[in-house]
Every structure is written in C-alpha cells, then in structure tokens.
C-alpha cells in the first residue's frame, strides 16, 4: 500500500466528469481534501470563486503553490487534525485517500456544513455508504449518512484511471446533506456512540447488546433482531428508548 493513499488520477475525463457533477459556479467555495498533483484542483479553480485544498504531503503542497492560480489556498496539513468548522466552504470535491475514507466522511458530516459533496471513494466503501438493511455492506456509516444526508453512486471509475493502479475500482459518490436529519434522535452524541456499540457486535441480538452495554432490558419486539436488520429510522427509535430509560433512571 502506498503512503498516504497516493493513487493519482491520470484520466482527465474522470476529473472533468467529477467536477461537472459538482456543478461548480463562480460563487462556490470548494474544499478539496488531498489535491495531490492538482488534476482536480486546476479544473475547480477555473470555475469556483475559491478552492481550499488540504494536502498532507509537504513536497506536493509546495509544488501545487507553484502551479495553481491565486484563488487556491493550499494548506499543508493532515485533514484529520484540523477543525474543519473553522473553514468556510459550500461544496466538497475530492478524490479521497483510501485510508481515511471512513473517518474523513464522519468528520465532514459531523463538523461541517455544505450543500453538496462529490467524492471519489473505493467502490467497496461507496457500496457501504448506500447500503440497505440485511446486506453485508450495511454498517454504521450507512446509518449516519442516511440520518444526515442523501447519498448516491453517480459513476464507477476503473482502477486504470489511477497511477499507480490500485487493487480495486473507484466510484464517484454524491452526498447532499438534508436540511434537517431524516428522523429525530434525543441526543446525537449518544446516538453515534450507540451505533458504534451496536455495529461492533452486528451478529448478536439487540437484546444481548443492550443488556451488556447499558445493563437494561426493554421488552420490545426488535430485541430479538440484529442491528443489521433494522432501518436507520428504527435504529433511531431504539436508541431513543434506551436513552430515555437511562436518563429516567438517573
Ligand atoms: N486528488 C489527487 C488526484 O485525484 O490525483 C490525489 C488523490 S490521492 C488518492 C490522495 C491525496 O491525499 C494524496 O495527495 C495524499 O498525499 C493526500 N492525503 C493523504 N492523507 C491525507 C491527510 N490525512 N490529509 C490531507 N491529505 C492527505
């Protein structure tokens, strides 16, 4: 595996497609995570008011400063160590480093607000984002995404569009945050922790997990089910029941 997931896009048609999907106008301020050698950044800079590009590799960041126009702000940093709420942008366009696909997606959803993201992920990860219950791809991130946003796979990207060629194909994914979450949860942080606990024991029954993790028993129908069988909204209802029981016992 390459350091920092450096598989660079070399097929300019894919870069053009990705930027077209993002529908960039001269009012947009775009966040790009991992600009690499700048194949997307150049196209974004031609269309957007401003591009904020965060690149961890110092040499690449220095190189980008020499080739990109003045409306691109290059930040040489690890995106995972930044507080993204300090930056103003309304769109996100990136070919994400594979190693941080999951944490960076949670970070974007939890820390920032934007109107649209168009992101290249590995195809397997993209499938998890759009997965429905009762499938092996259905996971914590499928639920968080559905709670916060509408997501769809727009296109696939063959692995030979990258150099070095990765082991798997990619996919272009669109994420559009909802104006308000898809369903109500009493406490968001509790909900996120609840999802972590439940999905780390996905083969156990919900009753077993809740008893073990929270020491309570609720006599509900879905207690005999497994978390992977429930729709996000049902998981939200279950989480609220547990939260109410715990807070009323205090
Ligand atoms: N956007 C470029 C392209 O399409 O050719 C590069 C994509 S490459 C898959 C991922 C890029 O993210 C690399 O340039 C890598 O150095 C950078 N990167 C990896 N981890 C990062 C992190 N934690 N913070 C910021 N950039 C990172």
């Amino acid at each position: 595996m390459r350091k920092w997931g450096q598989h660079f896009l070399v097929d300019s048609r894919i870069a053009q497609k990705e930027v077209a999907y993002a529908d960039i106008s001269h009012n947009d301020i775009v966040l790009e995570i991992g600009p690499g050698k700048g194949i997307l950044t150049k196209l974004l800079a031609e269309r957007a008011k401003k591009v904020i590009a965060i690149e961890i590799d110092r040499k690449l960041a220095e190189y980008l400063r020499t080739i990109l126009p003045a409306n691109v702000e290059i930040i040489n940093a690890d995106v995972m160590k930044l507080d993204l709420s300090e930056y103003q942008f309304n769109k996100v366009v990136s070919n994400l480093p594979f190693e941080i696909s999951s944490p960076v997606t949670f970070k974007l959803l939890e820390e920032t607000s934007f109107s649209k993201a168009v992101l290249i992920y590995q195809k397997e990860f993209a499938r998890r984002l759009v997965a429905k219950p009762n499938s092996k791809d259905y996971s914590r991130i499928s639920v968080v995404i559905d709670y916060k946003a509408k997501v769809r796979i727009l296109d696939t990207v063959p692995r030979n569009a990258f150099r070095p060629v990765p082991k798997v194909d990619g996919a272009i994914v669109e994420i559009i945050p909802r104006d308000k979450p898809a369903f109500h949860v009493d406490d968001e942080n509790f909900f996120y922790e609840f999802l972590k606990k439940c999905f780390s024991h996905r083969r156990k029954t919900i009753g077993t997990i809740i008893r073990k993790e929270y020491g309570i028993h609720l006599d509900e129908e879905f207690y005999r089910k497994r978390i992977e069988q429930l729709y996000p909204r049902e998981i939200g209802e279950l989480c609220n029941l547990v939260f109410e029981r715990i807070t009323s016992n205090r």
Side-chain angles (χ1 to χ4, degrees):
M1 196 191 296
R2 307 271 302 183
K3 193 182 176 195
W4 293 324
Q6 291 180 340
H7 294 277
F8 300 107
L9 199 54
V10 290
D11 185 339
S12 59
R13 287 167 306 178
I14 303 284
Q16 278 158 7
K17 250 192 200 179
E18 183 174 8
V19 173
Y21 282 130
D23 193 19
I24 305 293
S25 82
H26 59 272
N27 292 322
D28 287 327
I29 302 181
V30 183
L31 173 73
E32 187 187 359
I33 297 163
K37 296 179 183 172
I39 185 167
L40 286 169
T41 330
K42 273 186 226 156
L43 297 177
L44 292 169
E46 285 167 12
R47 294 161 178 76
K49 182 174 173 191
K50 183 178 173 185
V51 181
I52 303 168
I54 302 169
E55 174 55 60
I56 197 169
D57 186 325
R58 185 176 50 81
K59 287 206 175 115
L60 284 176
E62 279 168 10
Y63 165 71
L64 289 171
R65 286 193 184 110
T66 67
I67 63 155
L68 291 169
N71 65 338
V72 181
E73 180 186 357
I74 306 285
I75 299 168
N76 178 209
D78 176 349
V79 67
M80 295 311 300
K81 295 191 178 144
L82 294 180
D83 177 357
L84 291 180
S85 66
E86 288 176 2
Y87 299 87
Q88 296 292 322
F89 53 88
N90 64 313
K91 288 191 178 160
V92 188
V93 179
S94 304
N95 169 19
L96 289 171
F98 147 69
E99 289 83 354
I100 58 167
S101 298
S102 181
V104 89
T105 305
F106 282 116
K107 192 173 170 69
L108 283 172
L109 291 171
E110 289 167 17
E111 234 171 63
T112 75
S113 88
F114 54 89
S115 62
K116 179 171 177 163
V118 178
L119 305 168
I120 296 183
Y121 291 101
Q122 288 198 338
K123 205 159 84 185
E124 282 65 22
F125 186 79
R127 286 207 193 105
R128 285 173 56 199
L129 293 178
V130 300
K132 299 283 178 251
N134 295 308
S135 69
K136 75 172 175 26
D137 291 326
Y138 189 55
S139 42
R140 177 165 74 100
I141 199 148
S142 331
V143 179
V144 174
I145 278 268
D146 182 70
Y147 171 67
K148 285 265 186 181
K150 289 186 178 164
V151 61
R152 59 188 179 130
I153 296 178
L154 299 174
D155 233 316
T156 51
V157 184
R159 67 194 76 178
N160 60 19
F162 305 96
R163 290 292 179 282
V165 179
K167 289 201 179 73
V168 293
D169 295 328
I172 304 180
V173 172
E174 176 191 75
I175 299 175
I176 299 190
R178 300 177 190 276
D179 293 337
K180 64 185 191 45
F183 48 90
H184 169 78
V185 296
D186 289 338
D187 184 304
E188 258 186 18
N189 289 332
F190 184 85
F191 177 56
Y192 295 142
E193 283 305 310
F194 182 80
L195 290 175
K196 272 189 205 159
K197 290 188 201 310
C198 291
F199 275 99
S200 58
H201 305 289
R202 54 189 296 148
R203 305 301 302 166
K204 291 192 177 145
T205 64
I206 292 167
T208 305
I209 299 170
I210 304 294
R211 230 183 356 260
K212 189 166 159 285
E213 296 288 345
Y214 298 99
I216 56 172
H217 178 82
L218 287 180
D219 194 18
E220 290 294 328
E221 170 62 21
F222 44 60
Y223 262 48
R224 282 182 292 281
K225 292 188 177 168
R226 291 191 305 268
I227 199 73
E228 60 190 10
Q229 297 174 292
L230 298 187
Y231 281 88
R233 177 179 297 278
E234 295 175 304
I235 297 178
E237 285 165 13
L238 168 67
C239 176
N240 288 342
L241 275 175
V242 173
F243 184 73
E244 280 158 26
R245 272 291 291 272
I246 285 176
T247 46
S248 68
N249 283 348
R250 273 184 191 150

